[in-house]
Amino acid sequence: MSARRWTARARGLRGAAAGLVALGLLATGCGGDGGSSSGGKVTIRYAWWGAKDRSVMIKKTVKLFEKKHPNITVKTDFAEYADFWSKFNTQAAGGNAPDVFQNSYAFLRKYGEKNLLLDLNKQVKEGNLNLKGFRNGLEKSGDIDGKLYGVPVGANTFGFFYNPAAFKKAGVTVKDGWTWDDFFAAAKKVRKSDGTLYGSSDNAGVMYLYDLYLRQHGKAFFTEDKKLGFTKDDLKQWWNTWQQHSKAGELVPGKKTEQAKPKATISANLSAAEFTWDNFLVRFAAETDTPLELGPLPTTDGKKTAQYLSSLMLSGSARTQHPKEVAQLIDFMTHDPEVGKIMGYNRGIPATTAQYEAYKPSGVDAKIAAYEKSVAGKLEPITPHPAGTDVAEAAFLRTYTDVTVGQSSVDKAVDQFFDEAESALGS
């Protein structure tokens, strides 16, 4: 995710954390069995986060849905990531969450335990939602402890973005099996060969990147028993390594990252590399004319990337009065071929075979498709995300950002992160 998006995520996740107390008031009295209105039209609300291009696309798909379901009216609402979750928490605390909303794996357990998510299993049994035809077992990704809290609309995986012209000028080749030492050496060479570009963005505060690094070492960000899967010394080593290269002038300084907003540092032509989800190539391509490529992740042993498929999902509100119509909308958005053609890879590669085959990728989408095909044999199961993941992720980014802008030391930031994360996880 771009620097701007990661920071936006942090603001949004802090807002999510702030809403926990209020959301606790809703921990009883789950709705969802109120049924739909008999006769006449039913109105449901559909909300999502994203940039304007995603909003335009989704509104087109909503019009298609309403045309095929004339008895259902869909009111739409979208916002950037931070604003979306802040608004969602306020609405949920008042018992007025959207009937259908975009969600992610990191939030399923948290909001499921708060009884805010509709268990869609009943709708599957009643034939209103089809779980067949999903790719790579993605239909199981929204299952939390036997309850179906989300249905994926797209899948993505982590990747390494780079400026091929800058890397070529520096004499660096990005290839399978390269190591983290190779990556930092490449950043140094790029910086030396081009005084206008830093070798890479500083992504050490990205939880998902650190998770991959830990998985390469046989650990993970979270353990099966819902605790942090690493020590303070582990994290100090990770952050100190990145800070060493940042202070050497090889990575984009924190203050320049802040100044680059709303763009990412790579699309603001400050850096020659960035780590984030592969589908962000679509957004980067819209933000810069500089050609960018997707390459393999650095490894520890030259083999294990520890990648997994993640996905954006659609969830329903447990308090919706129209569970059938909610399921029908989710089913349409995940299976209809025309929706696949409209959305392309904006939310990742389509999760169902019908949409995957309906959309013929070109340009940047073709690059994403080729990248996912290249890593298909390396994918592993996703790391379990406990309730409190969003708070831990926000703290991870914010405390490291404090280091990059000179407001904290690594040692203090690590202590602060552990205090906040362990409290959120109930450790």
Side-chain angles (χ1 to χ4, degrees):
M1 198 174 286
S2 68
R4 170 179 180 255
R5 294 288 290 166
W6 283 113
T7 305
R9 281 179 63 87
R11 293 196 303 269
L13 293 170
R14 288 199 299 270
L20 280 172
V21 175
L23 294 178
L25 299 175
L26 302 180
T28 59
C30 175
D33 291 321
S36 58
S37 302
S38 58
K41 278 199 169 186
V42 166
T43 298
I44 59 176
R45 292 157 50 225
Y46 175 21
W48 64 90
W49 71 81
K52 290 183 179 180
D53 60 339
R54 177 177 295 174
S55 179
V56 171
M57 293 175 184
I58 291 180
K59 287 179 179 179
K60 288 181 180 179
T61 67
V62 167
K63 287 183 179 180
L64 282 179
F65 175 79
E66 290 178 328
K67 185 176 181 180
K68 294 187 178 183
H69 296 81
N71 64 312
I72 305 175
T73 296
V74 181
K75 290 187 176 180
T76 60
D77 186 20
F78 86 100
E80 283 282 354
Y81 190 90
D83 296 332
F84 174 88
W85 286 111
S86 177
K87 184 175 183 179
F88 176 84
N89 282 322
T90 299
Q91 292 173 329
N96 190 37
D99 296 277
V100 179
F101 57 96
Q102 187 171 287
N103 205 348
S104 74
Y105 188 84
F107 292 94
L108 293 184
R109 191 176 298 277
K110 168 189 171 179
Y111 288 122
E113 291 180 357
K114 294 293 179 182
N115 289 329
L116 292 173
L117 303 182
L118 178 66
D119 182 357
L120 292 162
N121 278 317
K122 180 179 179 181
Q123 298 305 317
V124 175
K125 293 178 182 178
E126 293 180 354
N128 299 318
L129 177 60
N130 180 16
L131 286 187
K132 295 181 180 179
F134 281 83
R135 301 170 52 248
N136 300 316
L138 285 169
E139 71 278 1
K140 300 176 183 178
S141 59
D143 187 303
I144 300 295
D145 300 328
K147 294 184 178 181
L148 185 61
Y149 286 143
V151 180
V153 290
N156 56 5
T157 189
F158 234 70
F160 176 71
F161 292 79
Y162 67 100
N163 179 329
F167 271 62
K168 182 178 181 180
K169 182 179 179 180
V172 176
T173 301
V174 179
K175 57 184 179 181
D176 280 323
W178 71 324
T179 66
W180 287 100
D181 287 340
D182 293 333
F183 159 69
F184 285 117
K188 182 177 182 179
K189 289 180 180 179
V190 170
R191 183 57 172 162
K192 283 188 174 182
S193 68
D194 190 330
T196 64
L197 281 176
Y198 288 90
S200 176
S201 305
D202 188 344
N203 299 132
V206 176
M207 182 187 78
Y208 294 98
L209 181 62
Y210 188 44
D211 183 36
L212 292 179
Y213 179 80
L214 288 169
R215 286 160 60 95
Q216 291 176 8
H217 287 79
K219 299 182 179 182
F221 202 95
F222 301 110
T223 64
E224 292 287 349
D225 57 353
K226 306 176 184 179
K227 297 180 180 179
L228 294 175
F230 54 97
T231 66
K232 288 185 177 181
D233 285 341
D234 290 334
L235 183 54
K236 287 177 183 179
Q237 181 181 25
W238 172 253
W239 280 353
N240 275 321
T241 297
W242 285 76
Q243 277 299 291
Q244 174 188 343
H245 292 281
S246 179
K247 291 176 180 178
E250 298 158 16
L251 310 179
V252 181
K255 291 181 179 178
K256 286 186 178 291
T257 298
E258 296 297 309
Q259 293 168 358
K261 297 173 185 176
K263 286 188 175 183
T265 54
I266 192 170
S267 56
N269 295 317
L270 284 174
S271 71
E274 178 120 8
F275 292 95
T276 190
W277 301 102
D278 58 5
N279 64 304
F280 271 82
L281 184 59
V282 176
R283 184 161 187 168
F284 291 161
E287 290 180 342
T288 179
D289 292 329
T290 302
L292 300 175
E293 295 289 345
L294 266 167
L297 292 170
T299 68
T300 299
D301 61 2
K303 298 178 182 179
K304 183 181 177 67
T305 66
Q307 288 171 271
Y308 50 80
L309 280 182
S310 184
S311 66
L312 286 180
M313 301 183 184
L314 293 181
S315 293
S317 168
R319 293 204 165 197
T320 182
Q321 295 302 304
H322 310 293
K324 176 182 177 180
E325 288 77 9
V326 163
Q328 288 176 323
L329 178 61
I330 293 175
D331 184 83
F332 182 84
M333 293 301 175
T334 52
H335 289 280
D336 188 86
E338 290 302 313
V339 172
K341 291 179 182 179
I342 292 171
M343 295 305 302
Y345 290 178
N346 184 273
R347 296 180 295 194
I349 292 183
T352 59
T353 300
Q355 292 189 352
Y356 178 79
E357 293 179 347
Y359 178 70
K360 305 304 178 185
S362 61
V364 295
D365 284 354
K367 290 182 179 180
I368 297 171
Y371 175 72
E372 291 213 1
K373 184 177 181 179
S374 73
V375 302
K378 304 175 182 178
L379 297 176
E380 300 177 6
I382 193 170
T383 301
H385 290 167
T389 292
D390 55 335
V391 180
E393 181 185 1
F396 194 75
L397 175 61
R398 174 171 41 78
T399 52
Y400 183 68
T401 299
D402 287 343
V403 174
T404 68
V405 297
Q407 295 180 355
S408 179
S409 66
V410 167
D411 286 358
K412 289 182 179 179
V414 168
D415 287 340
Q416 181 68 27
F417 165 73
F418 267 77
D419 286 345
E420 295 185 30
E422 289 179 342
S423 176
L425 297 172
S427 300

